[in-house]
Amino acid sequence: MQMDNLEEARRQAEICNACRYCEGYCAVFPALQLHRSFSEGTITQLANLCHNCRGCYYACQYTDPHEFNINIPQVMAEARQKSWETFAWPGGIARIFQKRGSLIALAAVIGFAIIFYVIRALKPSGGEGFYAIISHATMTSIFLPAFLYPLFSLGISLRRYWRKVGGERITWDHFKSALISAGKLKNLSGGHGDGCNFEEEDRFSNQRRYAHQAVLYGFLLCFAATCSGAVMYYFLNMPGPYSIFSAPKLLGIPGGLLILVGCSKLIQLKLKADPELGSARVWSGEMGFVGLLLFIALSGLLLFALGGTGALPLLLDLHLGAVLAFFLLTPYTKMAHGFYRMAALIRNAQMKAES
Ligand code: SF4
Ligand code: SF4
C-alpha cells in the first residue's frame, strides 16, 4: 500500500474511531472500533470489508469543506485496490489491468477468438452440436488448465492476504457466518436498509445490491450448468447437444439472463456514480471486467438462440475467446474481489469471536 494513502486511511480511521456515528452502517465501523492503532494489515482488512456503499460519506458531518475532509469510501477503495495489486500473483499484471482494463479485455477476447478460429480451421472437430465445430478434447485441453490457473493464482494471493491481516485457523462457524453474510450481500444494504448511493446526491437505492445478487447467483447457476454438463458427458454417457429441458440448459439460460441483467445495471450505476467516492484510477479495469462478463452472458445466450444458423461458428469463436479471457484475467480483475471479500468476512467473524 502506498504510504500516503495508508497514512490518510489511518488518519480518517482514527477520527471515525472517536466519532463512532456510523457504527450501525456496515461491518467496517464495529471492526474499526476494536482497534486503537491501525497497522497496514488492519487497514487492509477494513478496506476489504467495505462495499463502497457510500452511506457513511453522505451521513458524515466532516466531509469536504470541513477541515477533517473525511471520505471513507474513497480512502478504503484505494486501500482495497492497492491490496489486490500487491497480493496478486504474478505481481504487476493487476496494476496494468486496472489502468487499461477495457482495452486489455477487448484485445484478449479478439486475440483468443482468432486462436479459436485457427483451431477450427484446422478442423479438430468430432461430435455433435458445438463439438462438431471444435472437438470436446480440444475444448477440455484448453479450458481445464485455464480454469485451474486462476484458482492457483488466487490461492497464492489469498494466502498473502491472510498473513497480512493476521488470520488464524478457520473453523466451520467462521466460514458459515461469512457465507451467510456473502450470500445475502448484507453489507450492501448500507446499514440503514436503503442500499447504496450510486445515483444522485443523497439518493439511496437497493439497485446495486440486487444487481450484485443477480450477477452472483447467475454466475453460480452457470457454473452449476457447466458441472452438470460434465457429469452427463463423463459419467452418464450423455454427450451434447442437450435439450432445453436438460440440466445444463435449465440452469445455464436463467444464469446467463441474470448475469446479463445484473451487469447491465452495474454499468448503468457506475456511469452515474460520483468517481470521487471510489478509486477513480481503476475505472477502466472495473468497466472492462463487467463488460467482459456481460459479453460472455450475451454471446452464450445468442449461441443458444442462433444454434442452427451460419453465425454459429463465428459466435462460438467469440464466446470461447471471451470465456478464456475471463478465466485467465480473473486473478487481476474485479472478479477477485469476491474471494477477498469472503476472506475478509471470515477474518471479521474470527475477530468478533475473539472480542
Ligand atoms: S464517516 Fe464521519 S460521521 Fe461516520 S464515523 Fe467517520 S467521522 Fe463519524
Ligand atoms: S462506504 Fe459503506 S461499506 Fe464502506 S465504510 Fe462506508 S458505510 Fe461501510
Side-chain angles (χ1 to χ4, degrees):
M1 200 184 300
Q2 261 173 3
M3 199 47 84
D4 52 356
N5 189 65
L6 176 61
E7 286 307 323
E8 181 57 17
R10 273 193 187 122
R11 182 188 75 83
Q12 297 199 24
E14 280 164 10
I15 294 172
C16 290
N17 217 357
C19 167
R20 302 198 166 190
Y21 179 77
C22 296
E23 63 184 6
Y25 272 64
C26 65
V28 173
F29 293 96
L32 187 145
Q33 289 164 16
L34 297 175
H35 302 273
R36 285 180 183 270
S37 60
F38 297 92
S39 66
E40 187 174 349
T42 305
I43 295 292
T44 300
Q45 166 66 7
L46 295 173
N48 279 279
L49 270 183
C50 171
H51 275 280
N52 197 242
C53 79
R54 305 170 173 207
C56 59
Y57 181 84
Y58 288 102
C60 184
Q61 58 274 43
Y62 302 126
T63 54
D64 184 44
H66 191 280
E67 60 180 318
F68 285 172
N69 193 16
I70 294 289
N71 187 342
I72 288 290
Q74 198 264 343
V75 85
M76 288 296 161
E78 188 54 37
R80 193 163 54 246
Q81 278 305 141
K82 280 282 168 204
S83 72
W84 300 344
E85 289 166 14
T86 307
F87 300 138
W89 184 90
I93 302 180
R95 210 165 12 255
I96 298 168
F97 186 84
Q98 297 314 332
K99 229 188 253 175
R100 304 258 181 273
S102 302
L103 203 63
I104 292 172
L106 184 67
V109 172
I110 294 172
F112 290 139
I114 291 172
I115 292 173
F116 281 108
Y117 176 83
V118 172
I119 291 173
R120 196 160 52 78
L122 297 173
K123 297 205 179 306
S125 58
E128 291 181 58
F130 298 148
Y131 304 136
I133 300 170
I134 297 178
S135 74
H136 185 272
T138 306
M139 290 232 215
T140 309
S141 62
I142 292 172
F143 282 102
L144 187 60
F147 174 73
L148 295 177
Y149 168 73
L151 295 182
F152 179 72
S153 173
L154 280 168
I156 295 174
S157 306
L158 289 174
R159 192 175 154 79
R160 290 172 173 171
Y161 175 82
W162 202 242
R163 281 191 178 152
K164 175 61 88 180
V165 302
E168 291 161 12
R169 195 176 63 82
I170 299 168
T171 66
W172 169 243
D173 281 347
H174 302 146
F175 187 72
K176 191 174 79 178
S177 157
L179 202 61
I180 292 170
S181 184
K184 292 181 183 168
L185 294 176
K186 197 172 129 207
N187 290 310
L188 275 172
S189 71
H192 37 60
D194 295 332
C196 303
N197 191 320
F198 264 69
E199 302 183 45
E200 284 134 36
E201 173 121 349
D202 263 341
R203 190 174 152 224
F204 291 84
S205 86
N206 275 299
Q207 295 196 40
R208 184 164 172 254
R209 184 184 190 187
Y210 298 146
H212 267 87
Q213 274 170 330
V215 174
L216 172 67
Y217 290 112
F219 189 81
L220 291 176
L221 281 173
C222 288
F223 184 66
T226 307
C227 293
S228 67
V231 168
M232 288 167 78
Y233 186 91
Y234 288 108
F235 300 107
L236 303 178
N237 196 22
M238 293 171 69
Y242 301 112
S243 81
I244 181 99
F245 297 111
S246 63
K249 292 274 165 59
L250 288 174
L251 293 166
I253 293 172
L257 287 170
L258 279 174
I259 294 177
L260 194 62
V261 172
C263 286
S264 306
K265 193 74 216 171
L266 286 175
I267 289 175
Q268 190 199 2
L269 289 172
K270 201 148 190 61
L271 289 172
K272 281 200 281 183
D274 182 352
E276 293 301 315
L277 303 188
S279 180
R281 71 184 174 86
V282 302
W283 195 90
S284 174
E286 291 189 351
M287 277 299 196
F289 167 69
V290 184
L292 179 60
L293 206 51
L294 187 145
F295 181 75
I296 290 172
L298 181 65
S299 56
L301 290 167
L302 284 174
L303 277 177
F304 170 69
L306 304 177
T309 71
L312 185 68
L314 199 57
L315 198 55
L316 187 62
D317 294 340
L318 285 167
H319 180 70
L320 294 179
V323 175
L324 188 56
F326 171 80
F327 279 139
L328 297 180
L329 291 172
T330 278
Y332 320 108
T333 64
K334 193 78 192 277
M335 185 69 190
H337 91 290
F339 296 88
Y340 284 105
R341 183 85 65 213
M342 193 62 193
L345 289 169
I346 293 173
R347 180 63 189 137
N348 195 44
Q350 290 183 341
M351 295 188 72
K352 277 202 280 191
E354 284 164 13
S355 66

